[in-house]
Amino acid sequence: MAASKLLVSDIASVVDHVPSNYVRPVSDRPKMSEVQTSGDSIPLIDLHDLHGPNRADIINQFAHACSSCGFFQIKNHGVPEETIKKMMNAAREFFRQSESERVKHYSADTKKTTRLSTSFNVSKEKVSNWRDFLRLHCYPIEDFINEWPSTPISFREVTAEYATSVRALVLTLLEAISESLGLAKDRVSNTLGKHGQHMAINYYPRCPQPELTYGLPGHKDANLITVLLQDEVSGLQVFKDGKWIAFNPVPNTFIVNLGDQMQVISNDKYKSVLHRAVVNTDKERISIPTFYCPSEDAVISPAQELINEEEDSPAIYRNFTYAEYFEKFWDTAFDTESCIDSFKASTA
Ligand code: OGA
Ligand code: NI
């Protein structure tokens, strides 16, 4: 019986309608007819020249992309095509395994550093999402690799190679973003303690009634910066200028979005962006976000250089540890679009 299944992949394969716990109220549905396609509205930054004489120009592009949109695409990013291909294949193979093989990794405990789960936070949310996900901590790799799934057989090796390569890219992006804020290039990186890197493999099964539900409802990412790899199936949408905009995936580019920690560190100069994922009747979809984040013990606050009490730019957020933030993030279960408001400095 569908209701006794843990994962939506195993429900999707036997139903011809969306079970009631996945159905959104009429006021909160994707309304696909109102969604625009991205066209040129999302900036594309070519990293090829970042370390050459045109660096200043590229840093300007970062400043523009981060302040106007908070969402951009990157090409010539340095992660080898082969590494990307192998990661996508390993992800696909993982989700093609039998139900009994997959559920071995299942857990609803949001504190577990390696786990397969479904929806977002099944113990807190009211309506479920049409998504399963494998979530892995991956920095430092040696602390976590032995917890990762050992099937498919190449999974650990391929994921380690991918995570290492994406981390190098993120460090480059952080330097550019730091400079684009007028800060020293290692400034943002230095606020992250020992650094953290999480990865999700999102699996969105085909859905008989995609207009009634979400893969992921509108949310902002809790971490610092997200680098998203996706297959050739559309589904990601970004909220920009009051409208939802859909992306058609472009091969060999990543989508980058800023998360809540970047908003805090930049003291609202850059904003975390609202985005969501929709599903479709024809094709399953896989996306692989890398969530780069502070280590749990890192104390996060707006960068001192960006605060000026006299000029009316006081610190908008109080100090907090990333552990405190991250716990709150899972607890809110996307009921609010962002949990950042509860970390604002008191304005007594
Ligand atoms: C996420 C996310 C988008 C996608 O996992 O936080 O926003 O396209 N994913 O899967
Ligand atoms: Ni997200």
Side-chain angles (χ1 to χ4, degrees):
M1 233 184 68
S4 64
K5 301 277 185 194
L6 288 170
L7 299 166
V8 71
S9 356
D10 302 310
I11 296 171
S13 54
V14 296
V15 295
D16 56 9
H17 65 280
V18 167
S20 58
N21 59 310
Y22 291 89
V23 176
R24 295 266 156 189
V26 178
S27 60
D28 177 28
R29 289 184 185 169
K31 298 191 194 68
M32 312 283 195
S33 60
E34 292 172 18
V35 173
Q36 298 196 345
T37 344
S38 77
D40 293 337
S41 59
I42 302 295
L44 170 65
I45 303 181
D46 185 345
L47 299 185
H48 183 260
D49 283 346
L50 188 59
H51 298 291
N54 290 337
R55 185 172 176 89
D57 176 44
I58 314 289
I59 299 294
N60 267 331
Q61 292 180 30
F62 273 94
H64 179 74
C66 292
S67 54
S68 70
C69 188
F71 235 95
F72 50 95
Q73 307 176 74
I74 50 172
K75 65 174 188 179
N76 290 316
H77 43 65
V79 179
E81 217 177 307
E82 195 56 28
T83 305
I84 291 176
K85 212 187 277 169
K86 284 191 293 187
M87 184 68 244
M88 208 29 107
N89 285 339
R92 198 166 283 125
E93 278 179 47
F94 176 83
F95 280 99
R96 278 191 186 151
Q97 296 179 112
S98 66
E99 180 179 3
S100 59
E101 192 58 49
R102 280 176 285 121
V103 294
K104 282 181 194 162
H105 304 280
Y106 185 85
S107 171
D109 176 359
T110 61
K111 293 222 156 54
K112 279 195 80 173
T113 49
T114 301
R115 66 186 182 112
L116 176 66
S117 198
T118 191
S119 192
F120 176 71
N121 183 354
V122 282
S123 53
K124 299 272 174 169
E125 65 206 3
K126 297 189 197 82
V127 185
S128 299
N129 304 304
W130 204 260
R131 171 187 80 143
D132 293 332
F133 62 100
L134 177 67
R135 198 161 168 124
L136 313 169
H137 286 217
C138 35
Y139 182 77
I141 284 181
E142 57 278 15
D143 288 1
F144 302 107
I145 191 167
N146 293 320
E147 305 175 356
W148 294 353
S150 54
T151 58
I153 200 86
S154 64
F155 188 87
R156 289 182 182 175
E157 187 190 334
V158 165
T159 304
E161 179 186 319
Y162 178 78
T164 304
S165 194
V166 172
R167 180 167 188 268
L169 165 63
V170 168
L171 296 179
T172 302
L173 294 174
L174 292 187
E175 288 187 353
I177 291 171
S178 210
E179 279 184 54
S180 77
L181 283 164
L183 301 171
K185 69 177 183 184
D186 57 359
R187 182 66 174 88
V188 170
S189 167
N190 285 343
T191 61
L192 308 177
K194 294 185 289 292
H195 292 209
Q197 181 180 352
H198 305 172
M199 186 167 140
I201 301 178
N202 292 321
Y203 178 78
Y204 303 100
R206 293 193 303 157
C207 176
Q209 294 166 296
E211 65 284 358
L212 302 184
T213 193
Y214 288 112
L216 272 175
H219 68 279
K220 296 176 181 178
D221 292 350
N223 51 293
L224 182 75
I225 183 174
T226 304
V227 174
L228 182 83
L229 171 66
Q230 49 178 343
D231 67 10
E232 66 295 338
V233 181
S234 311
L236 176 65
Q237 299 180 353
V238 181
F239 196 67
K240 187 169 181 260
D241 303 329
K243 281 178 280 204
W244 286 102
I245 300 183
F247 277 91
N248 291 324
V250 181
N252 288 310
T253 64
F254 286 108
I255 287 173
V256 177
N257 68 278
L258 306 184
D260 290 351
Q261 304 315 304
M262 195 67 88
Q263 179 167 334
V264 171
I265 292 167
S266 74
N267 205 36
D268 272 3
K269 283 203 161 52
Y270 293 165
K271 295 281 177 53
S272 178
V273 188
L274 192 60
H275 57 285
R276 67 185 189 184
V278 297
V279 289
N280 73 83
T281 45
D282 300 336
K283 286 180 173 154
E284 62 182 20
R285 171 169 182 261
I286 289 177
S287 75
I288 308 182
T290 292
F291 303 109
Y292 208 79
C293 54
S295 49
E296 297 242 313
D297 59 351
V299 177
I300 304 301
S301 64
Q304 203 59 45
E305 300 91 315
L306 302 174
I307 295 170
N308 191 329
E309 301 288 345
E310 277 108 69
E311 283 178 22
D312 229 24
S313 42
I316 294 169
Y317 303 96
R318 65 173 173 85
N319 295 7
F320 53 84
T321 60
Y322 189 56
E324 186 191 347
Y325 198 94
F326 205 48
E327 188 168 346
K328 182 95 183 176
F329 170 74
W330 287 103
D331 277 355
T332 54
F334 292 165
D335 277 350
T336 53
E337 285 157 356
S338 163
C339 62
I340 206 166
D341 290 344
S342 52
F343 292 84
K344 288 206 157 139
S346 60
T347 47

